[in-house]
Amino acid sequence: MLPAGFQFSQSTLQDYVDCPRRFQLRYILRQAWPGVRTEPLQQHERHMDRGVQFHRLVQRHQLGIPVEQLERGLDEELAGWWRAYLGFDLLHSMLGRRYPEITLSADLSGARLLAKYDLLVVSPNQGITIFDWKTSLKPLRREFLLKRLQTHVYPYILARSGGGLLGTEISPKQITFCCWNTAAPSEPVIIQYSQEQYQQDESYLSGLLAALRAEVERGPAVWVLTADEHRCRFCEYRSLCGRGEVAGNFEEMDDFGDEIDPSVADFGLVDVEEIGF
Amino acid sequence: MARTRFIEGPAGTGKTTYAIGELRRLLDDGVRPEQILILLPQRSAGWPYEHAFTAPDWPDGAQIDLVTIGGLARRGLEIFWPLVAEKAGFAYPEAEPQFLNVETAQYYMWRFVNEAVQTGVFDSVNITPFRIMTQVLDNLSKAAINGFALDDVTERLVTAWGDRHSSRPPVYHAAQHVAERFRAYCLENNLLDFSLQIDLLVNYLLDEALYREFFQQNYRHLIADNLEEHTPVTRDVIRWAWDDLDSALLLYDTDAGYRVFLGADPGGGLELKARCDEAEAWEQPYNLPPTLGTLAHELGTLLDADRPRSFPAGENPRAGFTLEFCQFYPEMLEWAVNQVAALVQHGVPPGEIVVLAPLLGDSLRFALTTRLHERGIRTVSHRPSRAVRDEPAARAVLTLMALAHPGWNVHPPLLDVANALQQVIEELDPVRAWLLAQIVYRPGRIELGTFDAILLAAQERITYRAGEKYERLRRWLAAYQDEDAGTMPPDHFLSRLFGEVLSQPGFGFHTNLDAGRVVAELVESARRFRQTLYPRAEDVTDWIDISREYYELVQAGLLAGTYVASWQQVEQDAVFLAPAYTFLMRNRRVSYQFWLDIGSNAWWERLEQPLTHPYVLARGYPHDQMWTDEQEYFSRRDTLRRLMVGLVRRCQEHIYIGISNLSEQGFEQRGPLLQTFQQIIQRYDQLEEVP
């Protein structure tokens, strides 16, 4: 059974598409399993941290914190990314209200779908542009992007629930998805959304959710493991599934195999932690 | 402001349901969801909202923010750190801060407490350094949430102590000194514990024009639920935001205030009523059987010294509860388990049953879990501050960690090595594991002996299959010593040991989901330790001593993080075993409750905390007033009253109450709660006798 209040996101759905068993372990059983995802661990972790720092830097900038206060203390790598971001004219020349780090959600076939956007720029006459920051090691490939759930979930949810931001109903063709990568800052991948794509996405996502539900209803049996064992090299459940001992090298990982699920990166409900006396 | 309302009433009168309805109305009126802020006292209070937001008919749109005051502070500081860091006196304002949780704060605090303990300043209080540490951290939190300076804390404690034994005031000063050293260290190293996060929010962030602008643009509507459980600083933030809001709905549970020991200020929460245009008092709870309604009234009256005693007009409460008197503690547990089993047999979902005790120690948890599992009934329990190291899987992994580092000169006892081998090698039973450990392990020897070197007869007894696994483990540890020791932080070591050996097919943790959870907690604690204390991994050339430091801190019991996995499991359809307060703070209603051992004084006693004080370190307490024994007595009664009434109001069918004449330790028990129930029984027996 899915946990009460479960919300689907692009990363949870991507997990299901990549490996149903991984979805079952992570989200149905919520099984913590401390295997190594990728090696070298420290290098991977450092890269992830950098990604988080960069996202925060951009968020701060978009909220109006002066540039000179943001630039202090940046190391060479971050400073390089930062300069590239400041040179991203498409974004900086764009007029409209900016919503950094905003989360939207919509219901699809009785399931709640959620998307956490790095930045939405709402231009009353031009529509809404989704900006997504990537800090991948390699330049983005458009065809790879088109296969990722994110490319479909983000514009779809915006089309469903972004009308409030625009002040009027939003048409899919008013949505642009712009993926910008620090590894190739002058070559953002820009995807124009459309009514046709919206309908295809709705049908695809509904089908995916229906398949997932059917799987849930089948009960506690072990869900299908991915046929692509290469994926298992980058999965913490490798040993539980009997799919190898050693983690793969993170430089060989798919471009966004290390995305952070927004549901785990939110600190809104930080407790006053209970201290044991 | 367009509309401000204050609704007060006991639990179960529909306040939160109303708030959710109000949210829908706001959305229907065109309010954008991202402009609504819901302030909650703690995470667990958010579940009704989270459930509502994921319902199929919930409107599409942005997420509504559910935050605690800690979450608000942390979010604000994550974004606006560059604006406040220098002003607040941090040594490296250009660098990012490290957010500490209780566990990582303890790592730092531990050094200062130990140094102070060694000077003898805490000799006059008979508590462990660990408890000194937690209480100093508690004082820091209390200072922050009440807006006190650290020396105000000491002054209040000294004044409240009055003219009792003279050795205590110097101890308060010593505790303050430790807190000040910790605070200075945080400022020097960009560390933000909970108290400093709150301090920065209130004293710096709220004064920043950009933060105010951000807040105004983001939040136009406020709902503050369980206002009685919020701290004074939350009220300050509400006041700060008040004039810029378009609407506010404040909800107050009149019988609650369970988080006083964490700094909640129920009395202060009521002050906000005066700011609201409308105030309503709701009295009638939904779905509370009349018998339990009378019981709540009786308990509320008998335990409230200020309330005139009156016979309620309701039904005889005795039909609402079953009281079972047992001579011995195990007998009471057996009775409770039998009753739970009977309910489940009659079709009651296990999730509709809770078993509550004032404290849920390991032995009680184990006894209940084992007995209920024997009956095929699932359980889930939550107890805060559970040390991961106490779990057998964690102990096994830590023993192997020590064996992998012979240079530490930590020699685990033979029994620990045997237990570890039995845990991690599937084929080993306790006898074989003991035999193997005796042969291959010699404390002080650099490495474990090989299986090949064992006499054939012993190999046969241990079995070759087990020997093969043992060899694989031994070779992994030896390879680590030869090639990787020093290059791997402690969390990486644990993670690799688990993933590459212990959870591989044929080893004890393969498909052992519980062991996976436990070791994951351990790895997470090691990761937090490493990231917080040694954030610049590139500067570390050798991790051996750091891993040892981690190992020693674990052995010292400093791993005190809440067992997150258990929180997540609460959703399962399982009997919930918990301390009474934990259940109350979940704010859920169930059909059946079991209260164990109501003769125990633990239902009534406050935790012994010689270095802090939840009532004196409260904004509403006069700073120049001594804390008297009379105040202590009445505060205990009041706490017990809130607890009892709160529990009864969260029961929809029946309460089973177990009494053990003799405690676990064999002492006769006649605590105040038992006496209260005796009064209720006598009163209604007399009423029944009247023709």
Side-chain angles (χ1 to χ4, degrees):
Chain A
M1 199 172 76
L2 274 168
F6 187 79
Q7 305 191 76
F8 291 91
S9 67
Q10 54 95 7
S11 57
T12 60
L13 286 172
Q14 190 69 54
D15 273 335
Y16 178 66
V17 170
D18 287 348
C19 177
R21 175 61 170 159
R22 183 159 79 198
F23 181 93
Q24 183 189 27
L25 287 164
R26 271 196 193 151
Y27 309 111
I28 306 242
L29 302 174
R30 285 181 288 182
Q31 179 60 52
W33 198 255
V36 175
R37 269 197 202 181
T38 178
E39 293 277 11
L41 240 164
Q42 279 171 264
Q43 202 180 326
H44 178 238
E45 192 178 277
R46 186 169 181 275
H47 184 76
M48 294 281 288
D49 285 348
R50 281 303 151 90
V52 171
Q53 278 182 45
F54 179 71
H55 278 71
R56 190 170 299 142
L57 204 53
V58 173
Q59 184 187 10
R60 287 171 178 171
H61 182 240
Q62 291 295 328
L63 286 170
I65 298 182
V67 170
E68 56 276 13
Q69 278 183 288
L70 297 176
E71 285 178 333
R72 288 191 307 174
L74 296 184
D75 65 22
E76 206 176 314
E77 188 177 31
L78 261 179
W81 293 356
W82 173 244
R83 279 193 299 273
Y85 159 79
L86 289 180
F88 184 28
D89 290 335
L90 172 73
L91 166 70
H92 302 302
S93 61
M94 201 174 262
L95 299 174
R97 178 148 184 208
R98 279 133 204 267
Y99 293 90
E101 302 294 330
I102 185 169
T103 303
L104 301 181
S105 79
D107 181 79
L108 178 61
S109 318
R112 182 67 38 183
L113 235 66
L114 176 140
K116 184 170 186 181
Y117 302 91
D118 289 342
L119 176 67
L120 294 179
V121 179
V122 180
S123 314
N125 299 322
Q126 294 165 335
I128 305 184
T129 307
I130 302 167
F131 285 94
D132 195 65
W133 318 121
K134 300 289 185 202
T135 53
S136 311
L137 296 173
K138 293 170 268 183
L140 299 170
R141 288 172 290 123
R142 189 183 180 87
E143 57 277 19
F144 176 81
L145 255 183
L146 288 171
K147 285 185 200 159
R148 303 293 296 180
L149 258 297
Q150 185 191 33
T151 314
H152 302 274
V153 170
Y154 274 28
Y156 175 76
I157 294 179
L158 184 59
R160 285 282 308 274
S161 61
L165 302 176
L166 200 58
T168 175
E169 202 167 310
I170 189 166
S171 152
K173 67 179 181 203
Q174 290 178 286
I175 295 173
T176 308
F177 183 43
C178 177
C179 218
W180 184 87
N181 187 9
T182 52
S186 57
E187 299 161 23
V189 178
I190 297 173
I191 296 165
Q192 185 62 48
Y193 207 46
S194 65
Q195 183 65 31
E196 188 188 0
Q197 190 59 50
Y198 172 82
Q199 279 161 350
Q200 282 177 19
D201 286 343
E202 183 160 272
S203 160
Y204 173 66
L205 293 170
S206 302
L208 205 58
L209 290 168
L212 208 150
R213 266 205 203 97
E215 199 110 47
V216 172
E217 279 164 19
R218 270 199 286 278
V222 172
W223 292 16
V224 176
L225 277 67
T226 178
D228 179 3
E229 293 199 26
H230 174 76
R231 292 190 199 285
C232 305
R233 297 175 61 212
F234 304 99
C235 175
E236 72 270 27
Y237 297 114
R238 190 183 320 112
S239 58
L240 181 60
C241 299
R243 289 262 176 110
E245 291 177 22
V246 182
N249 189 301
F250 104 104
E251 290 184 1
E252 298 165 23
M253 209 164 162
D254 283 346
D255 288 8
F256 326 136
D258 53 358
E259 275 170 357
I260 305 162
D261 183 338
S263 63
V264 297
D266 186 28
F267 297 102
L269 288 173
V270 173
D271 273 339
V272 182
E273 293 177 79
E274 294 174 59
I275 301 173
F277 294 100
Chain B
M1 204 188 307
R3 195 174 186 197
T4 52
R5 272 164 302 160
F6 189 96
I7 299 176
E8 60 186 308
T13 47
K15 299 185 296 299
T16 300
T17 308
Y18 175 80
I20 291 168
E22 179 62 16
L23 280 172
R24 278 184 183 275
R25 281 188 287 280
L26 284 172
L27 298 176
D28 289 345
D29 289 348
V31 168
R32 297 216 311 271
E34 72 274 15
Q35 294 189 326
I36 302 171
L37 176 69
I38 301 177
L39 258 178
L40 300 164
Q42 70 173 45
R43 179 194 303 255
S44 59
W47 72 267
Y49 296 96
E50 286 170 337
H51 279 238
F53 298 165
T54 54
D57 62 342
W58 190 259
D60 296 345
Q63 290 283 98
I64 293 174
D65 264 343
L66 282 169
V67 297
T68 57
I69 190 69
L72 198 68
R74 176 161 179 156
R75 276 189 192 175
L77 290 168
E78 279 187 335
I79 301 171
F80 295 99
W81 170 253
L83 301 181
V84 299
E86 194 164 3
K87 293 175 192 167
F90 285 88
Y92 303 100
E94 70 285 358
E96 291 296 318
Q98 292 272 339
F99 289 88
L100 305 181
N101 62 9
V102 164
E103 187 179 85
T104 46
Q106 285 175 354
Y107 292 143
Y108 288 105
M109 182 64 91
W110 184 242
R111 303 172 181 182
F112 303 119
V113 168
N114 266 340
E115 284 172 22
V117 166
Q118 279 162 20
T119 65
V121 289
F122 290 111
D123 284 356
S124 61
V125 284
N126 185 24
I127 55 172
T128 63
F130 183 84
R131 292 187 63 224
I132 293 172
M133 178 179 66
T134 56
Q135 289 175 46
V136 173
L137 279 171
D138 191 51
N139 282 351
L140 277 160
S141 291
K142 295 277 191 329
I145 58 184
N146 285 292
F148 298 155
L150 288 176
D151 45 7
D152 287 342
V153 169
T154 308
E155 198 184 310
R156 280 173 169 264
L157 290 169
V158 169
T159 307
W161 186 251
D163 53 3
R164 299 178 177 99
H165 197 284
S166 62
S167 67
R168 187 60 68 84
V171 174
Y172 293 142
H173 286 287
Q176 180 189 332
H177 184 58
V178 170
E180 284 168 345
R181 287 190 68 196
F182 174 76
R183 174 59 60 87
Y185 189 85
C186 289
L187 291 169
E188 281 161 24
N189 294 280
N190 284 20
L191 303 173
L192 298 179
D193 70 317
F194 174 78
S195 68
L196 201 41
Q197 290 173 43
I198 297 297
D199 198 49
L200 291 182
L201 170 71
V202 176
N203 295 318
Y204 295 94
L205 214 45
L206 298 189
D207 292 338
E208 287 292 332
L210 202 57
Y211 184 71
R212 181 176 277 278
E213 189 186 327
F214 164 80
F215 198 95
Q216 283 172 344
Q217 282 188 4
N218 275 278
Y219 304 123
R220 312 294 315 160
H221 304 269
L222 170 74
I223 292 178
D225 203 343
N226 288 113
L227 204 58
E228 76 290 345
E229 307 294 351
H230 283 280
T231 58
V233 79
T234 314
R235 291 202 317 274
D236 295 343
V237 171
I238 292 174
R239 284 197 193 97
W240 170 82
W242 194 258
D243 292 339
D244 297 322
L245 294 169
D246 291 336
S247 78
L249 173 61
L250 310 181
L251 308 173
Y252 187 94
D253 187 334
T254 42
D255 286 326
Y258 310 120
R259 285 165 53 96
V260 166
F261 72 104
L262 284 171
D265 180 18
L270 273 176
E271 289 170 13
L272 288 171
K273 184 158 68 169
R275 284 189 168 243
C276 293
D277 303 329
E278 302 164 39
E280 293 174 36
W282 294 1
E283 291 297 334
Q284 203 53 48
Y286 296 118
N287 298 329
L288 185 69
T291 51
L292 291 179
T294 315
L295 179 63
H297 178 93
E298 281 289 339
L299 286 164
T301 308
L302 286 167
L303 290 167
D304 187 349
D306 297 333
R307 207 182 289 189
R309 300 197 172 184
S310 63
F311 283 108
E315 291 187 24
N316 188 332
R318 295 214 44 196
F321 65 90
T322 300
L323 204 64
E324 180 72 10
F325 186 90
C326 304
Q327 182 64 10
F328 301 108
Y329 200 82
E331 197 183 330
M332 177 192 66
L333 297 186
E334 202 57 41
W335 164 80
V337 168
N338 287 338
Q339 296 300 319
V340 171
L343 288 172
V344 173
Q345 214 167 17
H346 282 90
V348 176
E352 282 297 315
I353 303 170
V354 293
V355 181
L356 307 172
L359 302 167
L360 188 69
D362 274 343
S363 59
L364 176 57
R365 193 172 73 108
F366 179 78
L368 287 168
T369 307
T370 312
R371 285 172 164 90
L372 287 166
H373 286 188
E374 280 168 6
R375 310 289 186 93
I377 298 168
R378 292 172 69 188
T379 62
V380 61
S381 72
H382 165 69
R383 191 165 62 89
S385 307
R386 180 184 168 75
V388 174
R389 73 184 182 107
D390 291 338
E391 296 285 352
R395 286 169 61 167
V397 171
L398 289 167
T399 300
L400 294 175
M401 190 181 199
L403 294 177
H405 296 92
W408 292 354
N409 285 320
V410 171
H411 306 301
L414 182 61
L415 183 62
D416 285 3
V417 176
N419 284 338
L421 291 173
Q422 191 210 331
Q423 284 269 322
V424 304
I425 297 176
E426 213 169 53
E427 287 83 359
L428 287 180
D429 56 29
V431 177
R432 288 188 173 87
W434 178 252
L435 177 64
L436 178 62
Q438 271 186 316
I439 298 169
V440 297
Y441 176 60
R442 293 276 184 279
R445 198 162 76 179
I446 294 296
E447 60 186 32
L448 294 166
T450 68
F451 187 72
D452 294 344
I454 302 176
L455 289 174
L456 275 178
Q459 283 189 359
E460 278 175 18
R461 279 181 64 195
I462 293 162
T463 76
Y464 293 108
R465 281 170 64 86
E468 186 194 323
K469 303 282 161 39
Y470 165 74
E471 267 304 298
R472 204 166 138 194
L473 170 64
R474 190 194 64 77
R475 281 200 299 273
W476 191 94
L477 294 173
Y480 165 78
Q481 284 172 42
D482 292 344
E483 296 161 23
D484 296 326
T487 65
M488 237 187 264
D491 50 322
H492 295 188
F493 168 82
L494 294 169
S495 215
R496 283 188 57 186
L497 173 63
F498 177 86
E500 294 176 16
V501 188
L502 309 184
S503 62
Q504 285 295 322
F507 283 87
F509 293 169
H510 180 58
T511 72
N512 182 340
L513 304 184
D514 285 337
R517 284 194 188 98
V518 168
V519 180
E521 285 284 330
L522 195 66
V523 170
E524 181 55 23
S525 109
R527 189 184 62 79
R528 283 198 298 262
F529 159 82
R530 189 247 312 165
Q531 288 184 335
T532 312
L533 272 78
Y534 304 95
R536 292 180 58 84
E538 57 273 28
D539 295 344
V540 177
T541 52
D542 191 341
W543 287 96
I544 289 185
D545 287 341
I546 294 170
S547 296
R548 179 180 183 161
E549 186 187 355
Y550 170 73
Y551 176 87
E552 286 173 350
L553 287 169
V554 173
Q555 298 298 340
L558 285 175
L559 279 172
T562 306
Y563 213 52
V564 176
S566 301
W567 272 110
Q568 291 169 348
Q569 289 166 20
V570 167
E571 297 291 343
Q572 296 172 358
D573 186 21
V575 175
F576 187 50
L577 314 176
Y581 278 108
T582 302
F583 170 70
L584 274 183
M585 284 315 301
R586 287 176 68 213
N587 199 14
R588 303 186 97 152
R589 307 180 79 204
V590 293
S591 297
Y592 297 93
Q593 293 182 8
F594 285 76
W595 301 354
L596 297 184
D597 202 15
I598 65 154
S600 164
N601 273 322
W603 284 95
W604 145 276
E605 279 168 354
R606 191 158 62 84
L607 289 167
E608 170 65 8
Q609 295 173 261
L611 303 185
T612 184
H613 200 295
Y615 296 100
V616 169
L617 299 183
R619 201 183 280 181
Y621 188 81
H623 68 92
D624 55 354
Q625 188 173 302
M626 187 178 159
W627 181 255
T628 64
D629 292 344
E630 191 185 14
Q631 282 172 302
E632 179 68 29
Y633 173 80
F634 284 112
S635 70
R636 287 185 188 194
R637 273 186 85 85
D638 188 54
T639 305
L640 185 62
R641 177 185 65 79
R642 289 173 192 271
L643 173 66
M644 289 298 114
V645 173
L647 289 179
V648 175
R649 287 191 186 277
R650 285 169 179 80
C651 185
Q652 290 170 320
E653 293 286 343
H654 198 82
I655 300 171
Y656 293 84
I657 299 168
I659 304 165
S660 172
N661 186 33
L662 300 178
S663 68
E664 277 179 292
Q665 293 76 27
F667 299 109
E668 200 171 351
Q669 306 197 103
R670 291 286 179 269
L673 180 56
L674 176 59
Q675 291 170 29
T676 306
F677 265 92
Q678 283 167 338
Q679 282 178 271
I680 293 172
I681 290 165
Q682 278 170 12
R683 173 183 293 189
Y684 281 90
D685 282 352
Q686 284 167 5
L687 277 179
E688 280 179 1
E689 283 166 16
V690 176

